[in-house]
Amino acid sequence: MAPSFTVIRDSTPASAIPRGAVVAMGNFDGVHLGHQAVIEAAMKMGRAHGRPALALTFEPHPRRFFSPNTPQFRLTDERAKLRRLAGTGLAGAVVMTFDKARAGTSAQDFIHHDLIGRLGVSGIAVGYDFHFGKGRVGSPSLLVNEAPRLGIEVDVQPHVDIDERPVSSSAIRIALAEGQLDEATAMLGAPWFVTGEVIHGEKRGRDLGFPTANIRLDANCGLKHGIYAVRVGRSDRRLDGVASFGRRPTFDNGAPLLEIFLFGFKGDLYGEELDCAFIGFIREELKFDSIEALIRQMDADSARARAMLAAAPNAFPRLGTIG
C-alpha cells in the first residue's frame, strides 16, 4: 500500500507537522515538467538526509488574489493539483492560504516565521523564477544567501526546455487554447485532465446513437472548442471515448459543455465523478446542415479517436490519493 499523502494547512496544529522536512516550493499549476524537476530535487534531498519531502503551495492562486476580476484559466484546481502532487511520490503538501495577510508578509518574515519557525524545514527546492513575499522581493538568490545562516540546504532548478522553448504553465494554457494537445502533453509530461460530475443533458446524443456523459467545466476553462480523443478514469477503470467540448452550434449554441461518448459502455453515470484526460485533438467544432451529416461526421470522429487512443494505450496522468 502506498504511503498516505498528508495535507498540512494553516489550521493544522504544530504537533502534526513533521519537523525537518524538505519542501518543494511553488504554485505548481499543472505540475508540469519544470515543477516536476523541482519536486524531484526536493525528494532527492530528502532521501539523502532521511527526511520527508513535501510540496509547499498556495491557495487560491496568487493571481486570483491580485486580479480577482480577471478570468483565470487554471490547469489544475486545488484538488486536481494535490492529486497530481500525490502521484509524484511526495509525502504530502503544505497548502498556505494566500490572502491579504500572506500577500503583505515580507520575504524575510516568510522565511523565518513560516519556513523555519512553523514548518522547521531542513531544505528547500525552488525553480529559477519563483518569487515570494511582499512585492515579490523573495527570490531563489535570497534563499541561497540565507541558507548558511539558517542551517538549511537550498536547491535552485533551472528552466526546463522542450525544443528550445521553456516549459511554463502559461505556454501550456496557450497550447490548450490552440488545440495543440501534443505540445501541452509534452510540457505536462502526461495528458491534461479535468474532473467533474456527470450531469443530465438534453439527451440528444442518445437519440443520435451516441449517448454522452456530460460535465460542466469551470467557466474560465480555456480549452479550444472542438472534438477530442479522451480516456476517462472511473475509479480504477479506464474507458476510451470521443468527446465534444463547446456550444453545440448545430443545436442550441448554448453554454460550453463537455460531452463524452464512451466506446462500448452501457450504464448510468449520472452523479458520478469522472476524470477525463485529453489524448488527441480531432477537429474544430462545426455546424452541420443536417442530422445525417452530423452522424456521419461523428462516426468518422469516433474512428479517428480510436486510432489515437490505440497509439497511446497507457496515456493517463498519474494521480495519487489525498490522505
Side-chain angles (χ1 to χ4, degrees):
M1 180 179 293
S4 176
F5 182 85
T6 303
V7 179
I8 298 166
R9 300 187 182 275
D10 294 348
S11 57
T12 300
S15 59
I17 299 174
R19 306 293 292 182
V22 175
V23 295
M25 191 160 63
N27 290 315
F28 298 123
D29 187 24
V31 194
H32 58 57
L33 293 183
H35 299 145
Q36 291 170 40
V38 174
I39 290 165
E40 180 53 39
M43 292 175 64
K44 182 178 179 181
M45 196 187 303
R47 288 192 296 267
H49 301 290
R51 303 285 190 174
L54 312 171
L56 191 162
T57 190
F58 304 89
E59 287 293 339
H61 194 290
R63 286 198 316 270
R64 177 76 177 270
F65 173 82
F66 289 114
S67 303
N69 298 319
T70 302
Q72 307 286 353
F73 173 24
R74 287 191 57 169
L75 300 174
T76 45
D77 61 18
E78 180 179 347
R79 184 162 173 263
K81 177 169 69 174
L82 289 174
R83 292 174 70 201
R84 281 281 279 154
L85 291 171
T88 65
L90 287 165
V94 179
V95 180
M96 293 186 172
T97 303
F98 199 90
D99 53 14
K100 184 177 181 180
R102 185 80 64 199
T105 299
S106 71
Q108 288 287 354
D109 281 350
F110 180 78
I111 293 171
H112 291 275
H113 178 267
D114 292 306
L115 297 180
I116 303 300
R118 175 164 165 77
L119 297 177
V121 303
S122 63
I124 302 169
V126 293
Y128 73 102
D129 59 348
F130 182 74
H131 288 78
F132 60 94
K134 184 177 180 179
R136 290 170 52 84
V137 171
S139 64
S141 59
L142 175 63
L143 291 171
V144 170
N145 292 336
E146 290 285 293
R149 186 165 63 85
L150 297 172
I152 63 173
E153 186 176 349
V154 172
D155 185 295
V156 180
Q157 286 292 301
H159 56 77
V160 173
D161 294 344
I162 295 180
D163 296 331
E164 300 183 352
R165 294 179 58 191
V167 170
S168 71
S169 299
S170 296
I172 295 167
R173 292 186 195 98
I174 292 171
L176 292 173
E178 295 176 347
Q180 300 295 330
L181 276 196
D182 289 347
E183 189 174 330
T185 299
M187 289 188 282
L188 287 166
W192 182 67
F193 81 104
V194 296
T195 302
E197 180 181 324
V198 178
I199 61 174
H200 287 274
E202 298 295 327
K203 309 295 191 296
R204 293 194 189 99
R206 181 180 301 173
D207 295 338
L208 298 173
F210 294 85
T212 59
N214 304 317
I215 296 175
R216 187 79 66 190
L217 302 188
D218 185 275
N220 294 323
C221 177
L223 178 67
K224 182 180 180 69
H225 289 183
I227 311 302
Y228 294 85
V230 297
R231 181 161 288 131
V232 168
R234 184 193 185 201
S235 298
D236 294 331
R237 291 185 63 191
R238 299 289 179 263
L239 304 166
D240 287 353
V242 61
S244 167
F245 176 61
R247 298 181 178 277
R248 305 160 304 283
T250 301
F251 297 105
D252 58 6
N253 210 36
L257 186 68
L258 178 64
E259 302 172 284
I260 308 166
F261 171 59
L262 296 172
F263 302 140
F265 178 82
K266 297 184 185 298
D268 184 353
L269 293 172
Y270 294 122
E272 287 196 32
E273 186 175 79
L274 302 178
D275 297 316
C276 180
F278 293 82
I279 309 302
F281 179 75
I282 296 174
R283 63 172 174 84
E284 295 186 0
E285 191 174 38
L286 301 171
K287 183 175 182 178
F288 292 89
D289 294 330
S290 69
I291 298 301
E292 292 74 20
L294 173 59
I295 292 174
R296 285 195 298 272
Q297 184 61 58
M298 292 169 74
D299 284 332
D301 295 339
S302 296
R304 285 197 63 190
R306 288 179 188 274
M308 288 178 172
L309 292 159
N314 300 313
F316 201 78
R318 179 172 296 194
L319 306 175
T321 301
I322 304 169

